[in-house]
Amino acid sequence: QVQLVESGGGSVQAGGSLRLSCAHSADTYNTYCMGWFRQAPGKERERVATITLRGATSYADSVKGRFTISRDNAKNTMYLQMNSLKPEDTAMYYCAADSLCPLTSGRVRSWGQGTQVTVSS
């Protein structure tokens, strides 16, 4: 497991932007695949976006064109730039890491503590 620490959540109006950060331990093996999940009250945790060590990305259909995942391996930090936010994006966002892709919530070995994103209409 690796240590993951999220930051950057907050409250914003619909149409606004936020950038989440996930600082992680220097462990290229166990952070080969990293991503963001989110969980709204009463709903299952869903995968939002993933990125490999080499920079290959994938996105949930609901965020394509609005969210961008990236990572700076020299700084051991992953990011999620969220633009054109909608009220339905409101959730707790979690950073995740594992040695294998794809990330699935039942198999991910390292999780952050979560950061709340609230989008008001």
Side-chain angles (χ1 to χ4, degrees), residues 52-96:
T52 70
L53 186 66
R54 295 182 179 88
T57 59
S58 66
Y59 296 91
D61 288 342
S62 59
V63 306
K64 280 181 182 177
R66 300 187 298 121
F67 290 11
T68 302
I69 190 170
S70 62
R71 64 191 291 174
D72 185 331
N73 295 327
K75 294 182 178 179
N76 295 321
T77 305
M78 178 182 63
Y79 306 96
L80 185 68
Q81 178 66 43
M82 304 185 293
N83 298 329
S84 301
L85 282 161
K86 304 175 181 179
E88 51 263 45
D89 294 319
T90 296
M92 185 72 77
Y93 283 70
Y94 295 92
C95 174

Side-chain angles (χ1 to χ4, degrees), residues 5 96 101:
V5 180
C101 281

